Amino acid sequence: MIFRVSDLTSDDLEALTGLIMDDDGYSMRVFGRPPKADAARDVLHARPPSLGPESKITLGLWDDDRLIGVADAVRDYPQAHVMYVGLLQVAPDSHGKGAGRALHDALVDQARNSSGIATLRLSIVATNAEAAEGFWRRLGYEPTREAKEWVREDGVITTAHIYEKAV
């Protein structure tokens, strides 16, 4: 497959909403509920309050005219020289076809082109680990000794484990 990666903007809101709504498995595992209708808007705009809009990266992965993946990250979070990957989601029918790796490679390129980014960092919520951990490990991420309590919206208390990879 030949994919195209582009920065996502508000013009892509409908396509991004469709991608997120069509894959409720991720949302159920991480949040304990189906995706919310405004989830796409959050992916495009949410960032830590201490960071400006220039820190936000939202990439889309396209197969022809269909959005099949999204990745969002923020530069210099939680500290300088770190790019925190908040989401990498691929349409279920595109799993196992190189889409996730292609999207990740585009994030790595963004990190390498960003002044001073040395590390990629992410969290894997324990209730999503079976689906996600193997993917991230194949890409070279290793667990740190850090973990945080994660309380899903359905009240389930779990853990988010931190993983990192040098750029």
Side-chain angles (χ1 to χ4, degrees), residues 54-143:
E54 71 285 350
S55 67
K56 178 79 172 185
I57 299 167
T58 309
L59 300 178
L61 184 72
W62 302 84
D63 183 10
D64 289 325
D65 62 348
R66 179 177 169 233
L67 183 66
I68 63 166
V70 61
D72 98 313
V74 288
R75 294 179 192 92
D76 293 319
Y77 183 80
Q79 66 240 12
H81 311 296
V82 174
M83 181 182 287
Y84 187 86
V85 180
L87 175 69
L88 193 149
Q89 185 173 0
V90 171
D93 64 351
S94 296
H95 289 185
K97 298 178 182 176
R101 182 174 292 276
L103 197 48
H104 179 263
D105 289 350
L107 271 181
V108 170
D109 288 345
Q110 288 274 337
R112 287 183 177 145
N113 292 326
S114 293
S115 176
I117 299 297
T119 304
L120 291 171
R121 182 179 175 94
L122 56 89
S123 300
I124 299 177
V125 176
T127 53
N128 193 40
E130 185 176 335
E133 186 177 21
F135 171 77
W136 291 111
R137 283 187 170 267
R138 285 189 297 278
L139 293 173
Y141 287 79
E142 295 293 332

Side-chain angles (χ1 to χ4, degrees), residues 24-35:
D24 66 352
Y26 171 80
S27 188
M28 291 300 297
R29 291 186 304 271
V30 174
F31 302 111
R33 54 143 175 88

